[in-house]
Amino acid sequence: DAGVIQSPRHEVTEMGQEVTLRCKPISGHDYLFWYRQTMMRGLELLIYFNNNVPIDDSGMPEDRFSAKMPNASFSTLKIQPSEPRDSAVYFCASSLDRVGGSGNTIYFGEGSWLTVV
Amino acid sequence: LAKTTQPISMDSYEGQEVNITCSHNNIATNDYITWYQQFPSQGPRFIIQGYKTKVTNEVASLFIPADRKSSTLSLPRVSLSDTAVYYCLVGGLSGGYNKLIFGAGTRLAVHP
């Protein structure tokens, strides 16, 4: 199993530019999550999808952030325009079923390290 | 979603047993307790999950008392490579939504 695959692994961009982060969840997983991690705020859940449908986007910081899941094997997180305070590690994760229950766990990708200068 | 409280940091030495306790006083009947481990520059990784009593796998043990208001992750004979942040999470349902919310975690430092 290839696990959750994210790209790019590292990106440095200038303020105002558009950033697109990509994620391929584990095949067969029905849930996909986007998290952001910073030293100050820790791991924050931004949005999650169930069967390609966005269920809860209450963690998305503002309108500059958007996420899509056009099919079961691909999702994007877009920041437009980017700002220095968006610098963080963005993790994509997926799970087979509802998390928290027996045997159901969430699998994380290696993260996309974003620096906005 | 049940709130969890765990120590911010812990220190240990190689070969020692480490116990990290997590409090979750308002755990719901259907909630499971799950622990994740995160190394620098990596995403969190599942360690162990349990509902009650004791669970053991090749990596750790999880002790859950009868009232389930706390749990203890036990790492036997730690090594330098166990230096990481450990997160305790409870349940998955919050306001009807199915999601996992991470707290600050416990930063474990293992010394030679």
Side-chain angles (χ1 to χ4, degrees), chain A residues 12-51:
Chain A
V12 180
T13 189
E14 292 185 347
M15 182 174 64
Q17 296 298 306
E18 178 180 288
V19 173
T20 299
L21 308 177
R22 299 172 178 79
C23 175
K24 176 179 169 56
I26 295 173
S27 178
H29 281 194
D30 290 335
Y31 288 83
L32 183 140
F33 306 80
W34 282 100
Y35 285 86
R36 176 174 69 175
Q37 187 171 37
T38 61
M39 287 295 293
M40 291 297 294
R41 301 174 69 88
L43 264 169
E44 303 175 276
L45 176 64
L46 301 178
I47 185 171
Y48 83 92
F49 296 81
N50 178 208
N51 292 323

Side-chain angles (χ1 to χ4, degrees), chain A residues 41-109:
Chain A
R41 301 174 69 88
L43 264 169
E44 303 175 276
L45 176 64
L46 301 178
I47 185 171
Y48 83 92
F49 296 81
N50 178 208
N51 292 323
N52 313 337
V53 177
I55 302 300
D56 181 13
D57 64 355
S58 59
M60 296 286 263
E62 48 198 274
D63 292 345
R64 297 185 298 107
F65 286 70
S66 63
K68 294 182 180 180
M69 192 166 185
N71 58 62
S73 60
F74 183 67
S75 176
T76 60
L77 178 67
K78 186 174 294 186
I79 308 172
Q80 168 63 23
S82 59
E83 297 182 3
R85 59 192 169 123
D86 301 330
S87 298
V89 184
Y90 291 82
F91 289 104
C92 177
S94 69
S95 69
L96 180 63
D97 204 337
R98 298 161 67 89
V99 295
S102 176
N104 298 325
T105 187
I106 186 170
Y107 296 86
F108 283 80

